[in-house]
């Protein structure tokens, strides 16, 4: 074990120094992107395993822009991440770019560079059976609710409403728990929930309250890379300018968010 | 020099006494009061049928024009099988690496040099008694994902790192199998060979090891079955193996009624692979049990 640790330290010391991302991407002809494959419709797997979804379309757009800028074809490696490891992967240089449903939080900005402007936004809502009586946020006080592990709202809401929170690793498990009646409602991402509720299977369910804690999703890169940051910043501004986000929302069956519309209004004349 | 020549030979076809196995006439466990059952192929079939019934039941319940549960399982089978192959590859590699190193560690445990003996014993105990997931995490975070060796960039995929991580507990267990196997050979064998002027090295390689190979094989195969099942731990460290893909598929389907059939399906994959290994192990154990 000691020799193992020593070997690890040795390798660690000689690990490739991550330089400016664009040089690295150009040199290798490959860009590594941390992305989600477990968050339909933002990122999930097609039957043959290929990652698809709204965010993967955005990643393909970044690829096109990079190819234009670097004047050569580049390959994109999509590295599947989960909430628990995405920041660590980016920080360690395993991926050059992260587009993985990540909420823009001040504490995350301390470790990685979150690109401005944000590209998407969502808030938290309660999904429950139509027959369940929840009319305002205060109605969930002391109740048993389901949620996903690692969701950013868990801690705050649990404290605020004294919730008996039941959390699960996967979205499928969380939704099954709601259907099984293990909790009276599900704390969920509103954009995800609206796309679910379009399905007949969820006909008995609805969103109960006004969405709160609206938070933006940010793409992230490693700290201190001005050139790549500028490129990504321009790319995302362009997505808002051209209305690409709203267009993709339609493509993937997501109810258009007011936030995306507002960003389009704000950027289209800039 | 063979062991069987020194012990009374049992007749062919006569069942070998198995230590710890219940006598035939006792049908209920003394402690739990439950009947003794052995997992047979029937259990696998029952599992499969249950799964199918569950699938058709769920399909009838939803009554949508979409794919039935069975259809959904079939649709995802190629991808799932790909992931399962990675599990098998990881298990075989971890077993190979673990065995190659573990054999030497086991031999070091019976060394006559106290420092060698003690340090190999310590290493074996350390790796054998820590949870597999803990060693896995250590390796995942210790080895960088890429490093340069003499100017060549080596990229270390996650599954390779996970395989290294799994081979650590394997090598410790192999070490114990080897040590136990060698020590199970009666002392008289060593004494007899010494009297015939064999050196210690010759005794070990020419007399003791050939005899205990048979004894070591069943526990070694048992270990392999366990390693295969343990490869799903790769799910926790982000390797795209069968269980990870199962979760991805569940997320892609966004149908909660797929939850049980999907996990049941992956269970059948593992059962069908491991069951024959387990039967073969039992067969070999019976066949090669040596009295004394």
């Amino acid at each position: 074990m000691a020799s193992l640790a020593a070997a690890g330290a040795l390798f660690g010391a000689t690990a490739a120094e991550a330089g400016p991302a664009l040089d690295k991407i150009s040199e290798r002809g490959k860009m590594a992107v941390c992305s989600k494959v477990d968050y339909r419709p933002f990122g999930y797997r097609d039957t043959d395993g290929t990652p698809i979804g709204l965010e993967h379309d955005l990643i393909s757009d970044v690829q096109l822009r990079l190819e234009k800028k670097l004047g050569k074809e580049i390959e994109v490696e999509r590295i599947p991440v989960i909430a628990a490891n995405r920041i660590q992967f980016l920080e360690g240089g395993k991926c050059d770019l992260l587009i993985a449903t990540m909420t823009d939080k001040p504490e995350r900005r301390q470790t990685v560079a979150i690109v401005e402007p944000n590209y998407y936004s969502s808030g938290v809502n309660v999904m429950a059976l139509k027959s369940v009586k929840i009319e305002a946020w205060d109605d969930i006080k002391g109740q048993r609710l389901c949620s996903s592990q690692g969701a950013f709202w868990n801690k705050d809401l649990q404290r605020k409403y004294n919730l008996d929170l039941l959390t699960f690793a996967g979205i499928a498990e969380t939704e099954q728990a709601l259907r099984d009646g293990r909790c009276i409602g599900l704390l969920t991402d509103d954009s995800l929930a609206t796309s679910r509720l379009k399905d007949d299977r969820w006909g008995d369910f609805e969103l109960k309250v006004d969405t709160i804690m609206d938070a933006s999703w940010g793409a992230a890169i490693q700290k201190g890379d001005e050139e790549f940051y500028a490129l990504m910043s321009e790319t995302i501004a362009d997505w808002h300018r051209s209305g690409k986000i709203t267009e993709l929302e339609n493509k993937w069956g997501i109810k258009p968010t007011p936030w995306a519309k507002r960003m389009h209004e704000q950027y289209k004349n800039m | 020099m063979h062991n069987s020549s020194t012990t009374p030979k049992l007749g062919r076809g006569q069942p070998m006494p198995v230590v710890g196995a219940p006598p035939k006439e006792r049908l209920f466990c003394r402690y739990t009061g439950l009947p003794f059952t052995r997992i047979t192929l029937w259990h696998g079939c029952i599992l499969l049928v249950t799964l199918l019934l569950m699938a058709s039941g769920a399909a009838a319940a939803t009554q949508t024009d979409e794919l039935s549960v069975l259809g959904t399982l079939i649709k995802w089978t190629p991808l799932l099988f790909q992931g399962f192959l990675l599990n098998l590859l990881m298990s075989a590699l971890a077993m190979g690496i673990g065995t190659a190193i573990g054999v030497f560690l086991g031999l070091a445990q019976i060394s006559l040099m106290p420092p060698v003996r003690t340090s190999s014993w310590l290493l074996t105990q350390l790796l054998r008694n820590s949870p597999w997931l803990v060693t896995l995490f250590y390796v995942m975070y210790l080895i960088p994902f890429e490093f340069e060796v003499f100017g060549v960039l080596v990229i270390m995929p996650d599954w390779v790192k996970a395989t290294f991580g799994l081979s650590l507990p394997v090598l410790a267990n192999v070490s114990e199998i080897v040590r136990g196997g060698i020590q199970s050979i009666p002392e008289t064998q060593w004494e007899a060979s010494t009297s015939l002027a064999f050196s210690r090295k010759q005794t070990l390689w020419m007399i003791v090891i050939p005899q205990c190979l048979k004894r070591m094989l069943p526990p070694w195969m048992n270990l392999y079955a366990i390693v295969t099942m343990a490869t799903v731990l790769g799910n926790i460290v982000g390797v795209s193996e069968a269980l990870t893909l199962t979760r991805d598929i569940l997320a892609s389907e966004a149908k909660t009624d797929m939850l049980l059939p999907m996990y049941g399906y992956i269970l059948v994959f593992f059962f069908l692979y491991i069951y024959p290994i387990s039967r073969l192990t039992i067969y070999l154990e019976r066949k090669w049990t040596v009295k004394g």
Side-chain angles (χ1 to χ4, degrees):
Chain A
M1 207 62 191
S3 62
L4 194 80
L10 189 76
F11 283 140
T14 56
E17 213 57 54
L22 290 181
D23 288 348
K24 186 177 147 199
I25 294 167
S26 174
E27 190 186 316
R28 296 185 184 180
K30 195 167 90 177
M31 171 174 64
V33 185
C34 283
S35 64
K36 284 276 213 155
V37 290
D38 60 356
Y39 215 75
R40 183 175 181 161
F42 296 97
Y44 61 106
R45 283 186 196 272
D46 203 359
T47 323
D48 61 358
T50 333
I52 51 170
L54 185 143
E55 288 190 335
H56 289 280
D57 283 353
L58 294 180
I59 292 167
S60 303
D61 188 69
V62 175
Q63 179 187 11
L64 288 179
R65 284 163 195 267
L66 267 175
E67 284 179 342
K68 212 163 137 194
K69 183 171 172 83
L70 299 172
K72 61 190 259 190
E73 280 196 14
I74 59 160
E75 218 182 297
V76 171
E77 188 192 354
R78 290 161 208 254
I79 299 170
V81 292
I82 53 173
N85 61 17
R86 57 191 172 189
I87 291 185
Q88 198 204 358
F89 277 12
L90 178 65
E91 208 188 349
K94 189 166 173 150
C95 43
D96 308 308
L97 172 67
L98 179 145
I99 298 186
T101 69
M102 188 178 75
T103 309
D104 188 352
K105 287 279 195 183
E107 61 268 25
R108 287 175 177 157
R109 281 177 179 253
Q110 286 172 6
T111 36
V112 294
I114 296 184
V115 182
E116 300 224 39
N118 296 121
Y119 65 96
Y120 204 68
S121 170
S122 74
V124 53
N125 207 315
V126 180
M127 184 156 93
L129 276 171
K130 283 177 178 161
S131 56
V132 170
K133 203 176 158 320
I134 299 175
E135 277 152 7
W137 278 99
D138 280 336
D139 293 343
I140 63 167
K141 253 186 197 141
Q143 303 273 24
R144 165 167 286 196
L145 267 78
C146 293
S147 186
S148 300
Q149 280 170 13
F152 73 89
W153 55 74
N154 285 353
K155 213 164 53 183
D156 292 348
L157 291 182
Q158 187 171 27
R159 204 175 298 151
K160 189 167 176 195
Y161 296 109
N162 191 25
L163 298 175
D164 178 8
L165 209 58
L166 213 55
T167 61
F168 300 87
I171 290 174
E173 282 87 346
T174 314
E175 291 176 345
Q176 183 62 41
L178 174 67
R179 299 189 80 116
D180 290 345
R182 293 175 67 183
C183 47
I184 62 152
L186 175 63
L187 290 176
T188 173
D189 204 314
D190 65 333
S191 46
L192 183 79
T194 47
S195 78
R196 281 292 184 279
L197 290 173
K198 282 188 171 176
D199 196 321
D200 288 343
R201 270 190 303 267
W202 288 96
D204 300 336
F205 290 82
E206 62 181 0
L207 287 180
K208 290 290 184 183
V209 285
D210 293 328
T211 298
I212 53 162
M213 297 174 88
D214 234 319
S216 310
W217 297 5
I221 61 169
Q222 279 185 318
K223 281 203 150 188
D225 193 336
E226 303 291 331
E227 200 189 358
F228 194 32
Y229 188 93
L231 178 80
M232 280 313 297
S233 185
E234 173 52 33
T235 302
I236 297 174
D238 213 33
W239 290 341
H240 291 307
R241 195 175 299 130
S242 63
K244 189 176 179 68
I245 301 286
T246 320
E247 179 194 314
L248 288 177
E249 280 178 326
N250 287 328
K251 177 181 169 188
W252 295 101
I254 304 161
K255 191 174 142 197
T257 48
W259 186 87
K261 275 186 225 158
R262 208 169 59 232
M263 289 302 265
H264 176 52
E265 292 301 319
Q266 188 184 330
Y267 276 86
K268 72 178 177 191
N269 298 320
M270 277 165 80
Chain B
M1 233 0 121
H2 194 269
N3 202 35
S4 56
S5 61
T6 60
T7 49
K9 206 176 179 117
L10 280 150
R12 236 172 226 292
Q14 193 183 332
M16 287 295 192
V18 182
V19 180
K24 267 238 160 75
E25 62 272 20
R26 192 169 6 115
L27 293 169
F28 294 90
C29 176
R30 184 149 42 121
Y31 305 106
T32 62
L34 294 172
F36 284 114
T37 44
R38 221 174 49 198
I39 302 278
T40 64
L41 199 55
W42 276 109
H43 292 91
C45 293
I46 292 168
L47 193 74
L48 199 64
V49 170
T50 315
L51 189 74
L52 292 181
L53 282 178
M54 216 158 62
S56 52
T62 50
Q63 278 188 349
T64 49
D65 50 350
E66 287 171 65
L67 279 175
S68 67
V69 171
L70 195 61
T72 313
L73 288 185
I74 292 168
K75 182 176 83 172
W76 291 102
T77 301
L79 181 64
L80 208 52
F81 191 67
Q82 243 179 322
F84 183 64
L85 285 182
L86 184 61
N87 285 78
L88 297 192
L89 181 66
M90 283 167 70
S91 68
L93 283 177
M95 200 62 191
I97 298 168
T99 305
I101 304 171
V103 165
F104 285 97
L105 198 63
L107 290 175
Q109 281 204 79
I110 55 156
S111 164
L112 293 178
M113 286 179 280
V116 175
R117 196 169 59 226
T118 314
S119 56
S120 57
W121 175 82
L122 257 175
L123 183 62
T124 303
Q125 294 306 318
L126 181 74
L127 291 178
R128 200 172 78 109
N129 297 314
S130 40
W132 292 36
L133 191 56
V134 174
T135 34
L136 192 60
F137 267 114
Y138 255 95
V139 173
M140 290 310 277
Y141 292 119
L142 229 53
I143 306 179
F145 66 93
E146 61 178 30
F147 47 85
E148 246 175 85
V149 181
F150 306 117
V152 183
L153 187 70
V154 180
I155 291 177
M156 197 54 92
D158 275 342
W159 70 268
V160 175
K161 290 206 286 182
T163 306
F164 283 143
L166 286 174
S167 59
L168 292 179
V170 174
L171 75 86
N173 279 285
V174 169
S175 167
E176 282 295 83
I177 291 173
V178 169
R179 183 197 55 78
I182 291 174
Q183 287 182 347
S184 75
I185 300 297
E187 198 66 23
T188 47
Q189 297 273 313
W190 289 89
E191 287 159 9
S193 8
T194 314
S195 71
L196 291 171
F198 280 101
S199 70
R200 185 178 157 82
K201 199 174 156 194
Q202 281 173 323
T203 312
L204 187 65
W205 288 101
M206 296 162 69
I207 295 149
V208 175
I209 289 185
Q211 289 183 69
C212 58
L213 268 184
K214 279 181 179 179
R215 297 180 181 195
M216 294 189 296
L217 192 64
W220 184 79
M221 286 167 64
N222 210 359
L223 180 63
Y224 176 64
I226 296 171
V227 173
T228 311
M229 290 184 273
T231 52
V232 294
L233 289 176
N235 166 52
I236 302 167
V237 290
V239 180
S240 291
E241 48 71 63
L243 188 62
T244 313
L245 287 176
T246 306
R247 303 191 86 117
D248 290 353
I249 290 167
L250 283 170
S252 292
E253 279 297 327
K255 278 195 277 189
T256 55
D257 45 2
M258 284 307 297
L259 205 67
L260 286 180
M262 214 63 218
Y263 281 123
Y265 194 43
I266 191 73
L267 194 127
V268 169
F269 269 65
F270 276 93
F271 182 85
L272 289 180
Y273 182 73
I274 291 174
Y275 180 71
I277 299 177
S278 132
R279 291 306 301 166
L280 187 62
T281 311
I282 293 173
Y283 170 76
L284 288 180
E285 257 171 11
R286 295 244 164 99
K287 191 172 172 220
W288 288 340
T289 305
V290 183
K291 227 181 166 186

